[in-house]
Amino acid sequence: MQRKLFIIVMLITLSLTACKKYLDVVPDNIATIDHAFNMRQQAEKFLFTCYSYLPRHSVLSGSANENPALGAGDELWFHNFYQPYSWNIARGFQNVVNPYNNFWQGTQGGKDLYQGISDCNIFLENIGRTPDIDQSERLRWIAEVKFLKAYYHYYLTRMYGPIPIKRVNLPINADPETVRVFRDPVDSCFNYVVQLLDEAIADLPDLITNEADELGRVTKPIALAIKAEVLVTAASPLFNGNPDYANFKDSRGVQLFNPVYDPEKWVKAKEACKEAIDACHAAGHKLYYYSQSVRQYNVPEVIRTQMNIRNAFNEKWNAEIVWGNTNSMVDNLQIQSTPRGLDPALRASRSTLGNCAVPLKIAALYYSKNGVPIEEDNSWNYGARFNLTQGTPENKYYIVNEYTTVRFNVDREPRYYANLGFDGGVWYGQGKFDADDTWYVSSKKGEPAANIANDSYNSTGIWPKKYVNYVNVIQSNTYSRENYPWPIIRLANLYLLYAEALNEVNGPSNEVYYYLDLIRQRAGLPGVVDAWTAYSTNPTKPSTKEGLREIIHRERAIELMFEGQRFWDLRRWKKAIDELNQPITGWDIDQVTPAGYYREKVLYQQTFGLKDYLWPIREVEIFANNNTVQNPGW
Amino acid sequence: MLTAFYLIHLDAGAQETLVTGTVKNLNDEFLEAVSVVVKRTSQTTLTNHLGEYSISVQPNDSLIFSYAGMEPQTIGVSGRKVINIIMRPAAGREQLEDVVVVAFGTQKKSEIVGSVTQVKPEELKIPSSNLTTALAGRVPGMIAFQRTGEPGADNAEFYIRGLTTFGYGRGPLILIDGIESTTNDLARINVDDIQSFNVYKDATATALYGSRAANGVIAINTKEGKKGKTNVTLRVETSLSKNTKDVELADPITYMKLNNEAILTRDPLAPLLYSEEKIDNTVPGSGSYIFPATDWRKELFKDHTINERINLSLSGGGDVAKYYVAGTFTQDNGLLKVDKRNNFNNNIDFKTYSLRSNVNMYIFPTTEMIVRLYGVFEDYNGPIYSGGDMYTRVMRANPVLFPPYYPIDEKHKYVTHIMFGNYDGTYLNPYADMVKGYQDRGRSKIGAQLELKQDLKAITPGLKARGRLSTDRHSYFTITRQYIPFYYGLSNYNIRDNTYNIYLINEAQGRETLSYDEGLKQINSTIYGEAAIDYYRTLGAHTISGMVIGYFQERLNPNAGNIQESLPFRNIGLSGRATYGYKNRYHAEINFGYNGSERFHQSHRWGFFPSAGIAWTVSNEPFFENLKDKINNLKLRATYGYAGKDDIGSASDRFFYLSEVNLNNSSYGAVFGRDNGYSRPGISISRYSDPNITWETSRDANFAIELSFLRKLNLIAEYYIRNRYNILQQRSSTPASMGLWAQPQTNIGEAEGKGVDIDLNFNHTFKNNYFIQLMGNFTYATSRYKVYEDYNYPGAPWRDRTGYPINQRWGYIALGLFADEAEVANSPTQGFGEYMAGDIKYKDVNGDGRITELDMVPIGYPTTPEIVYGFGISGGNDRFDISVFFQGSGRSSFWIDPEATAPFTPYYYNSDERNSGIKYVNQLLKAYADSYWSEDNRDLYAMWPRLSTYPITNNIQSSTWFMRNGAFLRLKHIEIGYKFTPQLLKRIGLSSARLYLSGVNLYTWSKFKTWDIEMAGNGLRYPNQKVYNLGLLVNF
C-alpha cells in the first residue's frame, strides 16, 4: 500500500512539474531592453535613436514633425487647402485641449521630446556596460547624447518656459506621487542646459574627419554655438527679469521666473558667442561666397551677389553651415516654395505647388538698395510704395524689363530679390542659367502662376525663393531637386548673436559694426554707419545702444528670414505683442490688371496676447499631474 | 473491461431472470436515463445512451418506467425476457429535453443549479449562411447586434449578459463539441447539424472552464447518429437578398452648388470648383459625357442577388455503430456588378462547403468510441477591396467630373482596354477600382476528434471514465490579380454640336495585363485533450455525483508576424464538480477550476476559481401537492462563484511580464554623412515588463426562478450581479514628462454588471390538432465602472467614470450652431481650432469661460444596447404552420460619424487610402443637403453645420449634436410552411416534406431614417440585408 501511495505521489509530482514546464513557452532570446547595450553595434542604434528626436526643422506640415517657427509666426502664410498644424497657432487657435505643435507630449505636429530625454537617460545609464567599445568612442558618444539631452531641454524651455528637468529616469513602477514632478524655475532650466553642454563640449570632436559618414553629428563648434544661443536666450527680456511673470508660482509657492534683471547674463552670453565664433573659425567655417560652376553661362555681378545670398542657406555643407540637420532635408519645402507655373509650358504640372506665401509686412522689412529701412530711406518714396511703375533696363536682372510692377518692388536691397519671388520678378536658375534668359513669375489672374487649383496657390503673391536651390529643374511629373540638410546654425547667425550681446553689454562699438558689416558686405550693402549717415532720416541711429539694438534686430530679421529664427527672436525680445498683432496682407491675387493686383489686401488679423509668449501645456498633462501648473493665461 | 461486463450478469443472481429492452420516444429516438423500477423491490436502474436497460426480476413482477416530461408506464413482466417501451409525452405538455449538456458533461434538467439556457436549434434556423445573425432576440441573456451585411464579413457581435469588462477579451468562450472555436467557426456551423445549443451564464455553469470563462460560454454539440434505418434529410433553400436601406445622396446639381458654397463660405478668395456653365448644363440621367452626372451606386451595384443553401444529412446505425454524416453547401453572392469586358468575376461569390461525420462505435458493451471529423471550406471570389470598401468608395466618388468609362470613339478604336473616366488621374473612380481585378480567398478548417467513454460500473455503479483528443488545422489565404486602369479625361468639347475629345491621362502608369499579388497566408493549429472521471448514483432519496477533469490546450500561429505571437498559446487545467440531491427537492453543487495560462509570470500563472450553488424545487415538496395541477413546477436557484479570464491583452500584448523591444525601428533611426550615406535604425520600446499582471476575475451571483403553469406557460427569470475585478487598464496617472514609450498597464479596474434574463413561452394544442405557441425573451444587462484610474479632473466631478456604464460616451453638450460672428465672439472660447458662425456651439459646463475637456459630460446611452428582446408567435396544424418573430433593442446610443460623412472633405478609412495619392472626398448625403447651415439660411438646428471643404475639428468633437438613439424594433423573421400529406409522400418514397417561405429583416421601426439603424454610426458600409427565401425540407 505504501509503495502504491509512493508511486501515486511521485506521479502527481511529476505531472505537476510537467505542467509547470508546459506553460514555459518563452525562449531566452526574446528581445528586451538589455539586448540594446550588449554590443557596440546595438548601442550605436541607441545613439541614433537619441538623435532621432531632433526636431525636423525643415518640415512645414506632418504628423509628428513640424517646425512651429515656420508656420506659427508671420513669415509664411498659407490657405485653407494647405494647413500645417502650426498655422492654427498663427491664426490664434492655440488651445489647451489639444495644443498644436505639442512637443511635451508629441502630438499635433510636435515631437515627444520627453521621450527623447528619457531615451538619452537610458543611454547614459547603460552605455558604460557595453563591452566592445573603446574608451574614446564611448566618451564621444556620451558627449553627443549629453548634448542632445541639453538641446531637448532647451527646446522645451524656449517653448514652455520652466519645465520639469529630467536628470535621471524614474523607475517604471514608481508610485504615483513620485512621478508627479514639479516644474523647475526657468533659471535652473537654463543652468542645467548649460551645465550639460559644458560637460559635452569637453569630449566632442573639433571637427568631423569622416565626412562621408558622420557629417551632421555633433561637434565642439556646434555645442559652443548652441551654448551661445542658449545663453543669449536666457539673457533676453522674456527670460531675464520679466516682470510679467513675477507672480508665476507653482503650488508649493516656488517662483518659476526670476523677476530681477541680471546684466551678468548678457556678459556670459557675449563670452559664449565669442568662444563659439573662434571655435568655428578654427574649424574652417567662414561666410559663404559663390564660386561659379563651369557649366554656367556668364554671370553678371548682380546675379553673383544673389547667389552669395541664396546659396549661403541652401547649398549643402557650404563653409558657413555650422550645423546641418541631415535628418531634416529640405525637400517638400522646396516644392511648397516654388511657384506652380514658373515654367509657363508646365503650368498644369503639379510637381511644384507654391503654397508658401510671404506676407507684405515681411517683404517690407527688407532694406532699400541703400541698406536702410525703406521707411527711413530719405531717397526712397515710402508713401508712394504702392504706385505702379515699369521695369527698367538697369533693373533687368531683378524685374523683367518694361513689366508693369509696383514701386514696392523697386530699388530694394539684393537680399529682397535673392530671397523672394513675386509677379514680374526675375527668377534665376531652375534650369535657366543665362542671366539674360531666365524664368520670371507672372501671377496675375489668368497668368501661369495664378490661382487655378485650390491646393496649389499662393495667397499673397510672394514666394520664399530662399528655400529653392537654383539647380532644381521643374518637370511635368516631377521636380528634380537638390535637397539639402536644414542649416540649424550658420556662421552669420553667430555673428549677429555676438553683435547683439556686445551691444547689450557695452553699447555701440567698432566690434559690433564689424560683425554687422561682414554680413552687409556679403549682401552687397554699405556698412551700417555709412549707410545710416548717408541715407537714413535718423543718421545717428547706430551710435546709440537703443538705435543699434533696433538695427541689429532688423538685420537679424532680414538675414535670417525664413530660417526659423524670427519666430523665437520676437518672443525673447518681447516684441511679438507688437509685431504679431499686425494684419497679414498680400497682393489682391484675384485681379487681372496691375492696378487691381497691386492693392494691399488684408488676409487675416493676427492677434497675440501675453499668454502666447509661452506654449500652453495640454490639459490632460495637468490632470495626470496636478503638480504641473499651467502657464499664465492658459 | 470484459470482466466488468460479466460481473453485472453474475450480480443478477441465478434464481431471478434478466429482463432487457430498449426505451424510445415517439420520434423513434432512444432515451437515456429513463428510470426503470421493479415495483416490488424498488430496485432501480437507468437506461444507457442506447436506451437499453437490463434488470433482474421475478416473472410476475411489474416494472415502472418513468422519465421527466413523459407519461410513466407500468408494465407487467409476465415472464417476458425482452420488454421494449415507447414513452409518450405527459398529457398537455410538450416533450422537454430532459438531459442538459453542462460543462464537461450532462445533468438532468431537474438537477440543474446554475444558469444554463438551452436554445432549440430550430429557433436559430433563419435563411442565412451565418448562424451568428440569428442570435439576437433568441437567447435570453445575450446582447447581440449586426453592423454589416457583407457576405463573408457579416458576423454579428454578441455578448453574454452584456459587457462587464472594459478590458481586452469581451466575447464568450465558444465550444463546438467541447473544442474552443472562433466566432467564424460558430458562424459557419449549420443549424441542421446542431443537437444542442447551450449558453452558460453564471459562475456555477462556467467555473469549470476557469480562466477562459468569465465572459460566459456558448456550447454547441453536433448531432450523433440514431440507431435504426438510414434517415436522410435534405434541405434546399434559395433566397433573394437586397439592402434593407440605401443611404440617399444629393442630386448632382445640388452637389455642385453646395460644393461651391462650401469653398466660398470658408474662403471667399478661393476659386470655385464648378462653373455656372457646368451647373446649368448638367442633367442627371442625360448620359452626357461632357457634363456627366454619374450615379455611382447604380453603376456599381445591383438591386438584389440570389443565394443558395443545400444541406444533406444521413443518420442511422445498429448495435455496434451509429453515424451522422452531413454535408452543407452555401453560396452567397454580392450585389456588385460585373463588367462583361473583363472575363473575370469581381462580384462577391462566397461559397462554403462543410462536411461533418460523427460516428459512435461500441467496441465493447461498456466502451464507446466516438470519432468526429469535420471540415469547413470557404471559397471567396470578390473585388480587390471588400464589398464594404466598394460602398465606402461610392460615398467618396465625385458624381459630376467624369463617367465610369468613356465609349470607344473613332480616335481610340484600337484600344482594347476599358477607357475609365477620370479628371486628372487623382480622383477616385470606384467603378475602375471594382472591376480592375479580383481577389480569391480560401479558408479551410479541418478537425478530428476521438473520444472514448468507459463505463466503470464494474468497480462501482455509476462510475464512468472518458477521454478526448482533438486537433484542428486552419488555413487562410488571399490572392489578388489586377490591372492598372487607363484613365481618360475630357480634353475639350463643343457644346453646340455635342462633340468632345478625350485624352489618356496616365499613359506612364497604366497597364492592361494582370499582375499578381500574393496576399495573406495564415495557418494555425490547435491541439486539445481532456480526461475525466464521472460518478453518478442515486441511493434511495439521495443523489450524488462527482467529476474530475484534467485538460490541456495548445494553439499555434506559425506566421504570426512577430516572435512573441508565434509562441504557442497554452492552457492547462484541472476542474471538478460535486453535486448532491435529496428527494429531487434540494440540490447543491460545488465546482472548481484550477487553471494555468502561459501568459503570466511564473508566480501568477495559476488561478483557482471555485463556485457553489443550491436549488430548491418547491413544487416537489409534500405541502405543494394540492397546487401541483396548477403550478406544476416551481424551482428556485441561487449560485455564487468565480470565473477568470486570461485574455486580458491583445495577442501582440501577450506577455506582460516581458518587455517588448524593437531593435530595428527605422522610424527612430538617424542618418548622417555628406550625402546621407550612413544610417542606422533605432530602438523602440512598445511595452515595459511587469511580472505582477494576472487574471481578470469575475465574481458572479445568480438568482433564478423557474415556473411552469398549467403545463402551458413556462417562465424562467434570472437576476444576476457580476463583479469584475483585476481588469487590466492603462495607468493614466503617468504624466508625459515621465517620458515613457508606452503607458504602463495594471490590473486595477473594477466593474459591476447587473441584469435580468427572462424567458417566457406558452404552448397550447387545440383538440383539432391546431397549435399555438407564443414565445418571448428579454435581456437587460447593464454594467458600471467601479474602479477606473482616470485623470484627476479639477472641479469636474461629472468626468468621473465611476458609476457610469461601460461604453458610456463622454462628450460636449451641443447648444446649437453659432448664429453669427458676434455670438462667436461673445461665447466661451472653444479650444478645437478654427470655428466661426454656423459651427457647433458647446455648453460651458464648468463656467470657466472656455470649452475644454473639463466640459465633457456623459452623454446618451452606452454604445452597446442594454436591452435586447425578441418575441414571436407561431401556430398552425399538421399541414400548415406560420411563425412571426420580432426583435428589438433598446437603451443604446450611436453617433453619426461626422468625419466619414462630412461633405466635400477628404476622408480615409486606412493608411493605404491615405498614402495612395487619390482624393477620397466625401459625397453629399441628401439628409445634409436638406438641412445645413448657410449664410442665407441660418438654421441654428440644421443637421449639418456650416459647410467646408476641409475638416473642421470643432465640429467633429464627441458631442450630442450627432448623437442618435439606437433603439429599434424589427420584423426579424417570418415563415409560412406547408407539410405534404403522408399519402402523397409515400408514393414518391418520402417520409416527410415541408415547403416553406420565409423572410428576414422585412421591416424596421425606428426614428432614424438615414440608414439601417442597426449599423449604428457606420452606415456607409455594406448594408444589412433583407432576405426573401424559399425552402424545402424532405426526409426519406
Side-chain angles (χ1 to χ4, degrees), chain A residues 19 22-27 30-33 35-36 42 44-46 48-49 51-53 80-81 83 91 93 95-97 100 104-105 114-115 118-119 166 170-172 179-181 211-217 316-317 326-327 329 451 454 457 601 603 619-621 623-626 634, chain B residues 263 266-267 269-271 552-554 563-564 567-568 570-572 596-598 602 605-606 655 657-659 661 663-664 668-676 678 680-683 685 688 732-733 735-741 791-794 831-834 850-854 949-950:
Chain A
C19 291
Y22 185 74
L23 296 177
D24 268 330
V25 297
V26 179
I30 292 284
T32 59
I33 197 69
H35 293 84
Q42 298 289 353
E44 186 184 24
K45 288 190 215 163
F46 214 104
F48 279 48
T49 307
Y51 266 108
S52 75
Y53 294 92
N80 283 335
F81 305 93
Q83 299 191 356
R91 293 187 298 160
F93 298 129
N95 62 79
V96 297
V97 178
Y100 297 103
W104 190 302
Q105 288 162 315
Y114 268 114
Q115 187 179 311
S118 167
D119 272 1
K166 199 167 167 58
L170 293 167
I172 302 302
V179 303
R180 290 189 185 130
V181 293
E211 293 199 348
D213 284 354
E214 293 184 358
L215 263 186
R217 279 178 58 177
K316 72 172 167 188
W317 301 122
T326 45
N327 293 294
M329 303 299 284
N451 178 6
N454 276 329
Y457 75 95
K601 179 167 176 175
L603 293 175
E619 57 182 349
V620 293
E621 177 75 357
F623 301 155
N625 175 5
N626 298 149
W634 288 105
Chain B
I263 294 170
R266 299 274 172 186
D267 183 2
L269 274 186
F552 72 93
Q553 174 177 297
E554 172 176 307
I563 171 94
Q564 295 203 358
L567 297 170
R570 283 180 178 165
N571 281 95
I572 187 164
S597 166
E598 88 296 351
Q602 276 179 342
R605 262 179 205 161
W606 290 82
F655 301 112
Y657 69 92
L658 293 176
S659 62
V661 173
L663 292 173
N664 283 306
Y668 288 92
V671 59
F672 298 102
R674 172 169 290 282
D675 296 302
N676 288 9
Y678 191 83
R680 286 291 176 268
I683 291 172
I685 303 166
Y688 295 99
S732 52
S733 60
S737 58
M738 183 96 173
L740 296 184
W741 281 82
Y791 296 123
N792 177 11
Y793 296 102
F832 318 107
E834 177 183 342
R850 54 186 187 163
I851 309 297
T852 73
E853 286 196 35
L854 294 177
T949 53
Y950 52 92

Side-chain angles (χ1 to χ4, degrees), chain B residues 796-847:
Chain B
W798 49 84
R799 292 237 40 180
D800 186 0
R801 287 186 197 234
T802 315
Y804 285 103
I806 290 165
N807 283 357
Q808 171 72 56
R809 251 174 96 153
W810 267 256
Y812 300 98
I813 298 170
L815 296 174
L817 303 176
F818 284 110
D820 49 32
E821 295 306 327
E823 190 184 356
V824 172
N826 294 326
S827 301
T829 319
Q830 308 196 160
F832 318 107
E834 177 183 342
Y835 65 103
M836 58 203 293
D839 290 327
I840 302 173
K841 178 181 182 179
Y842 299 113
K843 186 174 178 184
D844 183 13
V845 176
N846 67 351

Side-chain angles (χ1 to χ4, degrees), chain A residues 77-83 334-342 346-357 441-443 447-461 463 589, chain B residues 267 269-271 273 423-424 426 919:
Chain A
W77 205 250
F78 309 96
H79 51 72
N80 283 335
F81 305 93
Y82 182 74
Q83 299 191 356
Q334 298 198 61
I335 297 173
Q336 300 296 352
S337 303
T338 311
R340 189 186 42 68
L342 183 60
L346 299 173
R347 61 194 295 173
S349 163
R350 301 175 47 80
S351 54
T352 60
L353 296 172
N355 282 322
C356 288
V441 181
S442 51
S443 59
E447 293 177 341
N451 178 6
I452 54 163
N454 276 329
D455 59 349
S456 56
Y457 75 95
N458 181 303
S459 57
T460 63
W463 286 260
I589 59 166
Chain B
D267 183 2
L269 274 186
L273 203 51
Y423 185 67
D424 60 1
T426 67
K919 291 183 185 130

Side-chain angles (χ1 to χ4, degrees), chain B residues 361-394:
Chain B
M361 283 167 280
Y362 301 95
I363 45 181
F364 299 106
T366 54
T367 310
E368 181 182 3
M369 181 169 83
I370 309 168
V371 177
R372 298 186 183 94
L373 298 171
Y374 71 93
V376 180
F377 309 95
E378 298 174 8
D379 280 336
Y380 174 97
N381 174 88
I384 300 168
Y385 312 101
S386 71
D389 282 348
M390 294 323 307
Y391 271 89
T392 59
R393 276 174 156 73
V394 164

Side-chain angles (χ1 to χ4, degrees), chain B residues 929-1004:
Chain B
D930 292 344
S931 173
Y932 72 99
W933 190 98
S934 68
E935 285 164 269
D936 304 328
N937 178 17
R938 299 183 176 228
D939 177 358
L940 303 190
Y941 299 97
M943 191 168 176
W944 188 255
R946 190 180 195 132
L947 295 170
S948 169
T949 53
Y950 52 92
I952 303 294
T953 321
N954 181 71
N955 294 345
I956 60 176
Q957 298 300 316
S958 172
S959 79
T960 54
W961 194 256
F962 293 106
M963 182 172 83
R964 299 290 184 274
N965 190 335
F968 67 87
L969 172 66
R970 72 183 352 155
L971 176 52
K972 182 86 177 178
H973 187 209
I974 184 163
E975 183 165 317
I976 301 167
Y978 173 73
K979 286 200 195 84
F980 293 94
T981 56
Q983 295 89 324
L984 181 78
L985 295 170
K986 263 201 190 120
R987 250 177 276 157
I988 47 172
L990 299 178
S991 55
S992 76
R994 179 169 175 265
L995 186 69
Y996 57 97
L997 251 170
S998 55
V1000 171
N1001 286 347
L1002 297 185
Y1003 193 79
T1004 306

